[in-house]
């Protein structure tokens, strides 16, 4: 049975329960991170913890744990469960309070760390590429909730994901209020056109993805010009290659968007180079358990 870290101790997954008065449950008041463990190394742990700290700061939540402490517990959660490869979910909720919206009654935040095996995306996604659609649900406005905050409020993305699912697609492209591409429901998006890569800027509604950042680094290493710029659906349709990035997805090719074939309709050559470069990085870099 998986051992879950909950507020200072490891408990069996069946015993890992939070209060019905936790504001994380009542209001989605909290933040989280999804992290990968590859071959006994936690990939980009510092970057994930930095983003968690920024999310906490943005929602006015004081993290009572040091980065060192969090990092030790994360590594411990992997070791306790005998993992060398897997997925780690770190969740910080506002904690237990009364029924009012104000977090003033929440005395201390709760910390949950779940380290488990990852249900990897099937190889088929990488070999054949994904077919995706633009969903009708717009991304929450960056003016309402900063897309930089990885919060427990995923309803917007969940609705878009369900809409795609009902039409037989596993991912949906989400547009922002202005009609520019923001991201997908759980991944960032990149397009290649005439040898240049583009991805929407964070202020267009994109999470500052850790994988996105690694892909930006790889672009510099491979000498592929890259720009963060507003993209329309048209820009995606007429691109030569398109791929999504995320901690779980890594770098996954997209071969069709809204019924339009991307490039040749097969995973792109440059996309393949980025996936290979990404996989070689994860094998070499990381925080040892
Ligand atoms: N956008 C959204 C909405 C996400 O939830 C995620 C994480 N799954 C991403 C982008 C990708 O971010 P990362 O590379 O940090 O996993």
């Amino acid at each position: 049975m998986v051992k879950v870290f909950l507020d200072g101790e490891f408990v069996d997954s069946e015993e890992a329960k939070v209060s019905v008065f936790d504001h994380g449950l009542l209001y989605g008041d909290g933040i989280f991170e999804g992290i990968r463990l590859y071959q006994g190394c936690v990939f980009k742990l510092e970057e994930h913890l930095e983003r968690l700290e920024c999310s906490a700061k943005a929602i006015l939540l004081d993290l009572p744990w040091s980065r060192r402490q969090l990092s030790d517990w994360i590594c411990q959660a992997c070791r306790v469960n005998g993992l060398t490869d897997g997925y780690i979910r770190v969740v910080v909720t506002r904690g237990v309070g009364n029924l009012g919206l104000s977090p003033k009654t929440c005395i201390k935040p709760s910390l949950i760390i779940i380290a488990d095996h990852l249900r990897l995306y099937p190889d088929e996604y990488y070999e054949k590429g994904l077919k995706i659609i633009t969903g009708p649900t717009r991304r929450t406005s960056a003016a309402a909730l900063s897309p930089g905050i990885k919060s427990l409020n995923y309803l917007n993305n969940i609705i878009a994901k369900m809409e795609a699912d009902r039409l037989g697609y596993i991912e949906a492209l989400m547009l922002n209020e202005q009609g520019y591409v923001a991201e997908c429901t759980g991944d960032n998006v990149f397009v290649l056109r005439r040898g240049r890569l583009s991805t929407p800027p964070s202020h267009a509604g994109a999470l500052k993805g850790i994988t996105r950042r690694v892909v930006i680094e790889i672009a510099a290493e491979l000498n592929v010009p890259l720009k963060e710029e507003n993209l329309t659906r048209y820009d995606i349709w007429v691109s030569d290659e398109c791929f999504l990035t995320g901690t779980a997805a890594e770098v996954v090719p997209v071969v069709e968007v809204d019924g339009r074939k991307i490039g040749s309709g097969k995973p792109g050559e440059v996309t393949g180079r980025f996936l290979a470069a990404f996989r070689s990085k994860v094998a070499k870099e990381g925080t040892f358990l």
Side-chain angles (χ1 to χ4, degrees):
M1 192 185 296
V2 175
K3 294 264 185 207
V4 173
F5 180 92
L6 177 61
D7 291 330
E9 52 177 358
F10 283 94
V11 292
D12 286 341
S13 55
E14 282 176 4
E15 304 303 318
K17 299 197 171 111
V18 293
S19 162
V20 294
F21 292 100
D22 192 308
H23 280 211
L25 172 71
L26 287 173
Y27 300 118
D29 186 351
I31 52 177
F32 76 101
E33 281 297 318
I35 311 173
R36 282 288 283 274
L37 173 70
Y38 291 100
Q39 297 169 30
C41 280
V42 186
F43 188 59
K44 298 285 172 195
L45 181 55
E46 286 298 308
E47 287 79 354
H48 280 287
L49 290 176
E50 190 193 350
R51 187 171 65 183
L52 186 77
E53 287 163 7
C54 290
S55 295
K57 190 167 189 186
I59 69 160
L60 296 158
L61 188 155
D62 289 327
L63 291 176
W65 318 284
S66 67
R67 195 184 286 193
R68 181 64 205 268
Q69 207 164 22
L70 288 170
S71 141
D72 285 351
W73 283 329
I74 287 168
C75 292
Q76 228 177 315
C78 297
R79 284 197 305 267
V80 164
N81 288 294
L83 294 170
T84 49
D85 289 272
Y87 179 86
I88 307 151
R89 174 63 59 92
V90 181
V91 182
V92 179
T93 74
R94 187 75 70 175
V96 174
N98 67 21
L99 288 179
L101 269 186
S102 165
K104 270 190 189 156
T105 57
C106 304
I107 307 302
K108 62 173 176 40
S110 261
L111 173 64
I112 301 162
I113 304 171
I114 309 167
D116 203 354
H117 294 284
L118 176 70
R119 258 191 33 241
L120 286 176
Y121 281 169
D123 286 344
E124 190 192 335
Y125 287 12
Y126 300 90
E127 286 154 13
K128 295 196 181 142
L130 301 183
K131 294 180 179 179
I132 63 171
I133 48 158
T134 309
T137 296
R138 296 289 170 107
R139 187 82 183 86
T140 303
S141 159
L145 183 67
S146 167
I149 304 171
K150 199 161 166 60
S151 84
L152 294 182
N153 290 260
Y154 258 57
L155 206 45
N156 179 235
N157 309 55
I158 291 166
I159 291 169
K161 180 109 183 162
M162 287 167 71
E163 286 163 348
D165 184 62
R166 276 158 195 244
L167 296 171
Y169 294 88
I170 52 160
E171 249 303 4
L173 198 62
M174 297 185 77
L175 306 181
N176 64 20
E177 271 183 321
Q178 288 77 40
Y180 291 113
V181 174
E183 59 180 349
C184 283
T185 67
D187 296 308
N188 291 113
V189 60
F190 286 79
V191 286
L192 183 89
R193 172 99 173 130
R194 298 205 183 101
R196 285 182 55 243
L197 267 181
S198 305
T199 192
S202 175
H203 59 74
L207 177 78
K208 290 180 182 168
I210 304 290
T211 321
R212 175 182 183 273
R213 204 197 296 179
V214 176
V215 161
I216 293 172
E217 275 167 33
I218 294 173
E221 288 159 18
L222 298 181
N223 279 322
V224 176
L226 182 144
K227 205 168 168 196
E228 293 183 41
E229 59 188 346
N230 274 334
L231 296 171
T232 62
R233 292 170 82 195
Y234 171 86
D235 296 321
I236 307 275
W237 296 337
V238 302
S239 66
D240 300 323
E241 295 188 26
C242 175
F243 60 84
L244 310 183
T245 66
T247 295
E250 302 182 319
V251 176
V252 64
V254 172
V255 292
E256 188 190 290
V257 181
D258 301 328
R260 280 82 165 174
K261 218 191 257 182
I262 302 300
S264 64
K266 299 216 166 66
E269 183 265 325
V270 176
T271 305
R273 280 167 56 207
F274 273 73
L275 176 60
F278 181 81
R279 289 197 168 150
S280 107
K281 264 186 196 292
V282 302
K284 283 192 224 123
E285 296 173 20
T287 305
F288 282 103
L289 290 183

